[in-house]
Amino acid sequence: ESDDYIREYIRFNYKADLGHWAEIVNVSKTVAAQAGDPVPAVYGNQACLSCTNYSRPGALALSPASDLIWNEVTGATVGARNCSASLHIRVADAASGYNNTKPKWFTGTPSADAAPAVLKRMLQTVIAEGLVFGAVHSTPLDAMTPDGDYQWDAVQELATFASENRVLFTDRTRLADVAVAYCFACVSWRHFSTISSYDDPSFPNNTLGRHLTQMTSAAKLLDEQHLAWEVIILGHPDLYPDPMPMLPVRLRKTKLFILPNVDAISIEDQVTIEAWVRQGGVLWLWDESGTRDEELQKRTQTFRNLAAWENLIKTPGTGRVITTRRGTIQAMQAGLPDPDLNGV
C-alpha cells in the first residue's frame, strides 16, 4: 500500500485511459457528422456502470465524457425486499451530475422461467420505478424469440409505452434531503492488485465488500422508511475529479449524510463535510469511515484528518455526528433490532 512508484504508474495510465476515452467519443461524433449519419446511442458509452454491486469505478469515471449512462442490471423482482434497482438508478443519477438531459439506460433480461403473470408484474414494477426515478429500463430483444414468445411481446409493450410517453420519464427535480456516499477512492484503488489485494464484493467482511454492502443496507433502510434520498459520489482529484464541485452543492439541501464504511476520504471533502455539520447537518459515520486518505493510505492519530473527525464529534456546532460500530451494522443487515439505531 505504500509503494509510491506503483501508485504513480497506475495514476498515469488511468488518467491516460480517461483522456483516450474522451478522444474516442469526440472522433466518433466528428466522423458521424461528416458522413451525415446519426451518432449511435451506444457509440462507445460505458457499459456495466453498476453491475456486480455497482463496483465498476472505471465505467463510472467515463460518465462525464459520455452522452448517456448505461447500466447493466437485473430485472425487477416482484415482492423482493431489496433496493438494488433504486440504488443503481441513484448511482447513475449522481454519475450524470444530476443532469436531467443525460439519459439513463438500464438493461437486463427477465428470468427465462418467468410466467406471463409474473412478467407483467415485473414490468409494472419497472414502469413504476421509471416514473419515480426518471429512468427507463430497456431489455435487449436479441436474447428472445419473437415468434410466439410472450416475453418478447411483454417487453415490446413496455418499450412502446416508454417511447410514446417520454414526458413521464423526464424532467425530474430531486427533493431528497438524505444522501448516501459512494466512495470512488474506496472502490477504485482496491481494483488494482498491486495496491491492495482485490476484495471480492460478494464477501461482505472484506473492506471493499463492506462499503458496497453497507451502501445497500443504507438504501434498504431508507427505502423501508419511505424517505427520499440520493447518492453523492465522493470523487478523487485525479481518478474521478469532481467537475462542479458537486459535494458542497448537494450538501446545501441535505439534512442527513450517511458514510457507509467510507474509509478513504480527502482533506478537502472532510473539511467540506465538517463545515456542513457545524451549520446544522447530521453526519452518520458507519464502521471505519475516515481512517484512510484518498490515496488509500492509513492515517495516524496525529494526522489532521482523523483528529478533525474526533473534534467534530465533540463540538459539532449546530449539527450532529452519529457513529455506528460494525457490529451494529451487521445486526441491522441481519434484520435484528439494535438500540444504537433508535432515533437516528
Side-chain angles (χ1 to χ4, degrees):
E1 294 180 355
S2 60
D3 194 323
D4 293 335
Y5 290 103
I6 292 178
R7 196 177 300 272
E8 289 307 312
Y9 178 79
I10 291 174
R11 189 194 315 275
F12 173 82
N13 282 278
Y14 195 97
K15 292 176 68 174
D17 285 344
L18 293 180
H20 293 156
W21 178 262
E23 183 178 355
I24 290 172
V25 170
N26 291 330
V27 169
S28 298
K29 291 180 179 180
T30 301
V31 171
Q34 291 174 346
D37 296 330
V39 179
V42 289
Y43 59 86
N45 282 279
Q46 80 286 12
C48 226
L49 168 67
S50 295
C51 68
T52 314
N53 286 344
Y54 28 88
S55 62
R56 306 292 187 184
L60 191 147
L62 301 176
S63 300
S66 301
D67 289 336
L68 61 84
I69 307 298
W70 180 9
N71 269 346
E72 185 176 336
V73 298
T74 57
T77 302
V78 177
R81 290 171 60 83
N82 67 59
C83 57
S84 59
S86 65
L87 185 50
H88 283 300
I89 292 171
R90 286 176 170 92
V91 171
D93 205 24
S96 74
Y98 308 95
N99 184 349
N100 284 334
T101 65
K102 180 175 286 193
K104 272 76 73 174
W105 281 13
F106 297 86
T107 62
T109 304
S111 174
D113 57 356
V118 173
L119 178 63
K120 184 176 181 179
R121 291 199 301 273
M122 289 173 61
L123 297 181
Q124 288 173 342
T125 302
V126 167
I127 291 176
E129 290 176 341
L131 293 174
V132 172
F133 301 112
V136 178
H137 189 110
S138 60
T139 299
L141 298 178
D142 57 352
M144 303 180 187
T145 303
D147 297 331
D149 191 323
Y150 65 85
Q151 288 195 349
W152 175 286
D153 294 338
V155 170
Q156 188 175 50
E157 182 180 352
L158 169 65
T160 301
F161 176 84
S163 296
E164 294 177 350
N165 298 275
R166 290 176 178 269
V167 67
L168 298 177
F169 306 99
T170 57
D171 192 20
R172 288 296 185 274
T173 300
R174 291 293 184 203
L175 301 178
D177 57 6
V178 178
V180 178
Y182 174 95
C183 177
F184 187 85
C186 301
V187 179
S188 60
W189 284 121
R190 290 188 170 97
H191 276 69
F192 300 112
S193 60
T194 49
I195 294 293
S196 175
S197 296
Y198 177 71
D199 291 332
D200 189 329
S202 63
F203 296 93
N205 290 328
N206 288 333
T207 307
L208 172 57
R210 288 207 307 275
H211 172 56
L212 297 175
T213 56
Q214 287 183 24
M215 274 189 70
T216 304
S217 297
K220 180 175 182 291
L221 177 66
L222 296 171
D223 279 351
E224 289 182 345
Q225 296 298 319
H226 301 287
L227 295 174
W229 61 279
E230 66 180 16
V231 166
I232 294 179
I233 299 174
L234 299 179
H236 186 281
D238 296 319
L239 307 182
Y240 186 76
D242 194 346
M244 289 189 58
M246 193 64 72
L247 178 60
V249 174
R250 305 310 295 184
L251 283 180
R252 288 174 194 161
K253 66 184 194 65
T254 301
K255 295 180 179 178
L256 171 64
F257 191 25
I258 302 174
L259 270 59
N261 197 53
V262 177
D263 61 336
I265 188 169
S266 67
I267 291 178
E268 292 76 13
D269 284 348
Q270 189 157 356
V271 168
T272 298
I273 294 172
E274 180 181 2
W276 167 77
V277 170
R278 296 192 187 282
Q279 295 173 6
V282 178
L283 177 64
W284 193 358
L285 301 173
W286 289 19
D287 208 341
E288 298 180 352
S289 293
T291 56
R292 296 173 181 264
D293 63 19
E294 73 277 15
E295 302 297 306
L296 207 65
Q297 300 284 26
K298 289 183 178 179
R299 303 197 188 284
T300 65
Q301 288 293 334
T302 58
F303 196 79
R304 189 256 182 231
N305 260 52
L306 193 59
W309 283 138
E310 295 172 350
N311 293 335
L312 185 62
I313 292 171
K314 295 176 181 177
T315 57
T318 58
R320 182 184 176 197
V321 180
I322 306 166
T323 59
T324 300
R325 64 187 186 278
R326 187 179 308 167
T328 301
I329 301 300
Q330 291 171 338
M332 181 178 68
Q333 290 171 332
L336 302 176
D338 191 288
D340 286 7
L341 297 178
N342 291 337
V344 171

